[in-house]
Amino acid sequence: MARYLVSQLLQAVLVIIFVTLVVAAMLRFSGDPAVAQFQGASAPTAEQLREIRQAMGLDRPFSTQYLNFLGGVLTGDFGTSFRGSRPVGALIRQALPPTALLALCSLLISVVLALPLGIHAAVHKGRWADQVIRLVSLLGLSFPNFWLGIMLVLIFGVVLRWLPPSGYESAASLILPSVTLGLILTATTVRLLRAALLDVLSSQYITVARSKGLSERTVLYKHALRNTAIPVVTFIGLQFGGLIGGVVVVEQVFAWPGLGSLALQAIANRDYPVLQGTVTVLAILVVIVNLLVDLSYGLFDPRVRMS
């Protein structure tokens, strides 16, 4: 187990280094942040641009800038924002809790909805309930998350006035963005769970379990579901990366003060340190979730623990 953890952690470190290196390199092609400081003002002189680049540390070679950034990450120092001169770590610590809360609530909604719907569709294959669940999940896959968010705001926030349409003021403000992300993820999870469960239910060991006189409930929940857990958990872990991407868009729709809004604001301002720090934290979150998914395999399959 120790050897496995070390290998996984090494892979995680390599992934994070690769992601941050690509982001740092691509940012250099997006424009000069020194020029962005003069937006709306008169054209800067060459001397002014030189002084600003020197103050920002942009006059140093790219390799030096990147190595300094990595060294700062190891100590929790992501640098200083080009706008406002605030520490990037403080901005991330302020934006991370809303994003983490939104992602966790969305995953919880997805699991709570997808498990009973996927099981019911598989057990009643071909019946009207299965057809309805498959149709609804297909419709869910067809809706972009930003469109669904806008429709929910229009219906429940503007017309009915049941929930806050935007902002992060109370627990009620969490409902609409969480439901938006949760429903999109639910649609895919339902179809995957149904397909995996149907495959397991047609297996020979399920036939043997039924021939022993075990109840259908025992066969389903003790034998079948346990063997569908690994692909479903794997999928949910992989979807976490997509969920983070969806968070960026949904946070804009609902004016949610999270990492997605912080990253988009940094892109608009060409604020390299803030964007690099935000992407690094998001990459670390995705890597941690996938590592936990790998470790969870042993809980569902004894063969994984033995290996």
Side-chain angles (χ1 to χ4, degrees), residues 23-96:
V23 171
M26 294 302 295
L27 283 175
R28 269 56 185 181
F29 296 101
S30 65
D32 190 346
V35 176
Q37 304 299 315
F38 291 89
Q39 288 181 354
S42 58
T45 64
E47 181 64 22
Q48 288 176 320
L49 290 176
R50 187 187 65 80
E51 292 177 355
I52 291 177
R53 292 191 185 102
Q54 186 175 5
M56 291 179 172
L58 299 175
D59 58 329
R60 292 172 291 180
F62 170 74
S63 58
T64 303
Q65 296 180 46
Y66 179 70
L67 290 176
N68 288 339
F69 170 75
L70 282 185
V73 170
L74 295 176
T75 61
D77 181 12
F78 292 92
T80 304
S81 171
F82 290 164
R83 293 295 182 98
S85 300
R86 292 187 60 188
V88 176
L91 295 174
I92 292 175
R93 285 191 295 271
Q94 182 179 356
L96 180 58

Side-chain angles (χ1 to χ4, degrees), residues 195-206 223-225 227-228:
L197 195 55
L198 286 176
D199 184 61
V200 170
L201 288 174
S202 61
S203 301
Q204 185 175 3
Y205 71 91
I206 294 294
H223 297 281
L225 270 182
N227 284 277
T228 60

Side-chain angles (χ1 to χ4, degrees), residues 281-299:
V281 171
L282 293 177
I284 291 173
L285 289 176
V286 173
V287 167
I288 290 175
V289 168
N290 282 277
L291 178 60
L292 293 176
V293 168
D294 290 342
L295 295 177
S296 70
Y297 291 164
L299 298 176

